[in-house]
Amino acid sequence: MEKYVHEPSTRAQERGRRRRHLRHGVVLVLVTVLLAVAAFSGWMVLSRQWVIPGLDPEPRPVVDASCPQGKFSYAENNTVTVNVYNATTKAGLASTVASQLRDRGFKIGAVGNRRLGYNAEYGVVISGGFGRSEALSVQRNAAGLLYVTDTRRTDQTVDVVLGTRFKSLTDLSKVRKRNGTLNCLPEPASSATPTHTTTTSPTPMPTSPSSSKK
């Protein structure tokens, strides 16, 4: 009698274990697939092969569009923190440039995608008023990038936004480490000065004296 009760119970437990193992296996497969899809989607977005509207951070508004006057010192590379953004469809461009800048001693902050927002085919270097020496150092290492002032920024970090014509950093042997001026984004064209026309009153015609009747 005990054997009869024990065997069905054992079989039921075995079936229960198999069902649990099956459920766990299905859940594990689903989780693995979801992680793989998420990783693939993230890579496609970061490499800009997929562009999701509204996902890229908007460029900060630039209040001061004028070019800073005077010369700035070249900040040592290891004192400069750079955020590198890819504004093109070239996969991995920001990561590649960030790695190259790191090899030159720059500190790398954020690396990702961003809309360019400026008329600059090679890209732009952005900093606040306190980061212009740092921006000069970055610009000397990445010739072709134009400088833009972000007046809302109060730190010394620098943003690099890479454009479609950017290829590579300036050859290290050609990097000038002297003081110098920033190569700026062209200022917006000012409205044409209206031409003032001077109007003159017509010159009165001379009148001949009237002859008296005789």
Side-chain angles (χ1 to χ4, degrees):
M1 182 68 179
E2 291 180 358
K3 184 178 180 180
Y4 176 79
V5 174
H6 177 71
E7 288 182 350
S9 175
T10 302
R11 288 197 296 269
Q13 291 175 356
E14 184 63 27
R15 285 196 298 269
R17 280 196 297 269
R18 283 200 297 267
R19 284 195 294 268
R20 286 194 298 272
H21 290 163
L22 181 60
R23 285 196 298 269
H24 292 164
V26 170
V27 170
L28 183 60
V29 169
L30 289 175
V31 170
T32 303
V33 170
L34 289 174
L35 289 175
V37 170
F40 176 75
S41 301
W43 180 82
M44 292 292 283
V45 170
L46 287 175
S47 64
R48 295 191 67 82
Q49 297 186 53
W50 288 352
V51 178
I52 301 176
L55 183 62
D56 290 349
E58 294 291 342
R60 295 183 176 204
V62 177
V63 178
D64 184 4
S66 62
C67 189
Q69 300 300 308
K71 292 187 177 182
F72 301 93
S73 60
Y74 182 100
E76 292 299 322
N77 295 359
N78 59 6
T79 66
V80 183
T81 299
V82 189
N83 303 314
V84 186
Y85 299 101
N86 183 4
T88 77
T89 56
K90 298 174 185 175
L93 181 61
S95 298
T96 299
V97 173
S99 178
Q100 293 171 349
L101 288 171
R102 185 183 290 109
D103 290 342
R104 297 190 181 193
F106 289 94
K107 300 176 182 178
I108 303 301
V111 177
N113 301 322
R114 179 169 171 176
R115 293 189 181 94
L116 184 55
Y118 307 99
N119 184 20
E121 294 179 325
Y122 288 91
V124 294
V125 176
I126 305 173
S127 81
F130 295 105
R132 284 170 176 161
S133 291
E134 288 76 9
L136 177 70
S137 302
V138 174
Q139 193 174 62
R140 291 280 179 81
N141 282 270
L145 302 185
L146 300 177
Y147 177 74
V148 182
T149 299
D150 179 357
T151 57
R152 302 198 309 177
R153 182 169 298 186
T154 58
D155 60 14
Q156 294 174 292
T157 60
V158 176
D159 286 356
V160 167
V161 187
L162 302 168
T164 54
R165 293 192 64 185
F166 185 86
K167 301 298 182 185
S168 61
L169 297 182
T170 305
D171 189 278
L172 195 56
S173 63
K174 297 180 180 179
V175 174
R176 295 181 296 113
K177 296 188 177 183
R178 301 189 299 272
N179 296 356
T181 58
L182 289 162
N183 185 22
C184 299
L185 193 74
E187 296 182 30
S190 58
S191 56
T193 305
T195 304
H196 296 283
T197 55
T198 304
T199 57
T200 56
S201 301
T203 305
M205 295 295 293
T207 56
S208 58
S210 58
S211 57
S212 59
K213 290 186 180 181
K214 295 183 179 179

